[in-house]
Amino acid sequence: MSAAKPTQTPPTAAICTLQGSLLTLAIVTLLSFTCLSIKSLNSPSISSSTPPSTTLFAPQVRVVDKDGINQAERVEGEDEVSSDVFHSPEVFRLNYAEMERKFKVYIYLDGDPKTYYQTPRKLTGKYASEGYFFQNIRESRFITDDPDKADLFFIPISCHKMRGLATSYENMTVIVKEYVESLIAKYPYWNRTLGADHFFVVCQDVGVRATEGLPFLVKNSIRVACSPSYDVGFIPHKDVALPQVLQPFALPRGGNDVENRTILGYWAGSRNSKIRVILAREWMNDTELYVKDSRISRATGELVYQKKFYRSKFCICPGGSQVNSARIADSIHYGCIPVILSDYYDLPFNDILDWKKFSVILKQKDVYQLKQILKSITQTEFVSLHNNLVKIQKHFQWNTPPVKYDAFHMVMYELWLRHYLIKY
């Protein structure tokens, strides 16, 4: 008996099969890009109480740009970016590389550098982030002396320095108003976009008060602010949340030390907000949560407040007099999972980093169930949060000169995204 011959596919059928495969591949690819775009438009789903921050649509990435650089190749330093903590890691890598090559900022040179403009007051204290940005941008590759080549224009208002020179809030408002109006009158750049391609950097309450005389500045320009709260006019899709980092840190960076963290939750601070009053009242006498309604006295030992971060699994970060808190950056630095207990707070780099991968974000009303919520987080989940927290520590660190992927470069990346939306 002769062996049966294999069935041969007719040429027409083979072509149809190939066409079907190509069509299927095209559909899958289209769906993949659609899902990626949708994901990049969503802020982290961390709590139903926290209003989603509008995520900027990532600019389209080309395989080969006009400079002839193959974008499909591995980006230098790619391994330094963890895909576990980014909404869209590949989009971030490619756009970050493009930002480093192309982004240019023009700094207005007007103003007296010995008084209010150009230089920050200092690089320490609760306004340190403002100072570091002023320092870093001058040390960076992003500055251009040609305003016609600029993507954005930096208005170098140092409100904190004004306050440090004992300038009253009323005088600050007048000084800032006259300064910005002089730039508008002298240069043509503001009027091309009504200030949409301009930005300024302020930290906390001083900057809010100093710009009160210029509602069009706050409304039109990009405000990089440490107080990203909607009740002070912060506009999430336009403005940038500046991380408030108290540097230098008193102790080295923590992390990879989960076995040492025996305290369930930790907070010590002043009762300068309603949520802090409730937190202290509800949990001050608990045996598993270390809650103290004042900063730990130095009389109890050297750096006891900071050392508690090393021993705690979760560090509670309630809003104070401002909705933000430097305690968030402290928690990240010391490797303690931040528990965000603030409503209406636009978290730094929220449209880039997936905060639910390295923090716990609660409604303010959840303070009454705080202990139960933290205890419901399994050890496996805690270890995952902790490991991811270690991966993002570099993004909340200021350096001078600035270092790739640090806080300065993350802020510049946010600005880079926003410049795509400005047309003139």
Side-chain angles (χ1 to χ4, degrees):
M1 226 176 141
S2 60
K5 293 183 179 180
T7 304
Q8 295 185 358
T9 304
T12 304
I15 293 172
C16 292
T17 301
L18 177 60
Q19 290 175 335
S21 299
L22 292 174
L23 179 60
T24 301
L25 179 61
I27 293 172
V28 170
T29 303
L30 178 60
L31 288 174
S32 299
F33 277 104
T34 302
C35 290
L36 180 62
S37 297
I38 293 173
K39 185 178 180 182
S40 69
L41 282 167
N42 291 329
S43 59
S45 55
I46 45 186
S47 169
S48 59
S49 72
T50 306
S53 168
T54 306
T55 303
L56 294 172
F57 186 81
Q60 185 178 2
V61 179
R62 295 164 296 187
V63 175
V64 179
D65 67 15
K66 65 181 183 180
D67 299 320
I69 297 176
N70 185 357
Q71 297 281 40
E73 296 176 355
R74 286 176 63 87
V75 177
E76 181 183 358
E78 176 180 342
D79 293 338
E80 300 175 44
V81 177
S82 172
S83 59
D84 297 334
V85 294
F86 282 78
H87 291 300
S88 304
E90 282 303 317
V91 171
F92 174 77
R93 289 188 185 105
L94 296 175
N95 287 333
Y96 185 97
E98 186 179 18
M99 174 195 75
E100 286 193 310
R101 293 195 309 274
K102 298 179 180 179
F103 195 22
K104 294 300 177 186
V105 173
Y106 179 79
I107 303 178
Y108 285 105
L109 302 177
D110 302 68
D112 184 354
K114 296 180 181 179
T115 54
Y116 307 120
Y117 315 109
Q118 306 293 326
T119 55
R121 179 187 174 197
K122 57 182 179 178
L123 296 180
T124 59
K126 64 180 181 179
Y127 300 99
S129 292
E130 178 183 313
Y132 270 102
F133 186 89
F134 272 75
Q135 180 79 17
N136 283 173
I137 197 167
R138 289 178 174 80
E139 299 169 324
S140 73
R141 67 180 73 182
F142 300 111
I143 299 304
T144 178
D145 294 329
D146 185 353
D148 292 325
K149 294 181 179 179
D151 299 295
L152 292 179
F153 294 79
F154 179 35
I155 303 174
I157 303 168
S158 182
C159 298
H160 180 43
K161 182 171 184 178
M162 282 189 267
R163 188 59 175 163
L165 295 172
T167 308
S168 68
Y169 284 122
E170 291 75 16
N171 286 339
M172 275 196 291
T173 302
V174 173
I175 291 168
V176 171
K177 183 175 185 294
E178 291 179 349
Y179 174 58
V180 174
E181 288 178 345
S182 71
L183 298 180
I184 295 173
K186 183 176 180 179
Y187 299 99
Y189 311 115
W190 174 281
N191 292 321
R192 296 186 305 188
T193 64
L194 295 180
D197 57 356
H198 287 54
F199 73 95
F200 62 102
V201 178
V202 292
C203 206
Q204 218 168 7
D205 53 339
V206 175
V208 173
R209 295 288 300 275
T211 55
E212 285 179 340
L214 289 168
F216 63 85
L217 175 70
V218 175
K219 179 181 178 181
N220 295 355
S221 299
I222 302 168
R223 177 168 53 168
V224 183
C226 286
S227 300
S229 175
Y230 306 146
D231 61 357
V232 292
F234 184 86
I235 305 174
H237 68 273
K238 174 182 72 69
D239 297 332
V240 175
L242 182 70
Q244 188 177 25
V245 185
L246 293 174
Q247 287 188 223
F249 292 104
L251 293 171
R253 182 182 298 178
N256 301 317
D257 52 3
V258 294
E259 66 280 355
N260 299 327
R261 299 182 179 275
T262 56
I263 300 173
L264 176 63
Y266 168 50
W267 175 77
S270 58
R271 298 192 188 197
N272 58 351
S273 68
K274 181 179 179 180
I275 185 61
R276 291 187 176 194
V277 170
I278 298 173
L279 175 65
R281 185 184 66 214
E282 293 292 318
W283 300 109
M284 232 174 74
N285 299 317
D286 191 85
T287 57
E288 294 179 271
L289 296 177
Y290 187 97
V291 173
K292 190 174 178 62
D293 68 341
S294 62
R295 290 294 289 264
I296 300 174
S297 172
R298 292 183 180 180
T300 62
E302 184 69 17
L303 300 176
V304 173
Y305 172 78
Q306 289 84 356
K307 290 175 181 176
K308 277 282 193 293
F309 282 94
Y310 287 134
R311 294 184 52 206
S312 304
K313 297 175 70 174
F314 299 97
C315 288
I316 306 159
C317 304
S321 56
Q322 299 290 321
V323 69
N324 67 311
S325 170
R327 188 174 280 100
I328 296 174
D330 286 344
S331 301
I332 292 172
H333 174 78
Y334 293 115
C336 184
I337 308 303
V339 180
I340 313 299
L341 202 57
S342 295
D343 293 342
Y344 310 113
Y345 178 27
D346 200 69
L347 292 160
F349 319 137
N350 192 29
D351 50 357
I352 305 171
L353 298 175
D354 190 347
W355 276 77
K356 71 177 182 290
K357 297 292 184 62
F358 55 88
S359 69
V360 177
I361 302 184
L362 304 175
K363 303 175 182 179
Q364 287 192 2
K365 67 179 183 180
D366 291 332
V367 65
Y368 300 102
Q369 292 81 40
L370 179 61
K371 180 176 175 179
Q372 299 91 308
I373 292 171
L374 296 183
K375 292 193 73 171
S376 70
I377 299 173
T378 67
Q379 181 66 12
T380 300
E381 291 169 335
F382 163 68
V383 171
S384 177
L385 288 169
H386 178 80
N387 291 340
N388 287 336
L389 187 71
V390 174
K391 295 173 184 176
I392 59 95
Q393 285 176 326
K394 59 177 170 285
H395 304 311
F396 292 84
Q397 172 78 40
W398 295 99
N399 302 285
T400 179
V403 176
K404 191 170 186 175
Y405 301 126
D406 67 0
F408 169 73
H409 283 93
M410 294 293 282
V411 172
M412 293 303 292
Y413 182 80
E414 291 275 21
L415 291 168
W416 168 250
L417 292 182
R418 282 155 178 76
H419 103 275
Y420 272 98
L421 304 179
I422 301 164
K423 303 293 181 184
Y424 60 85

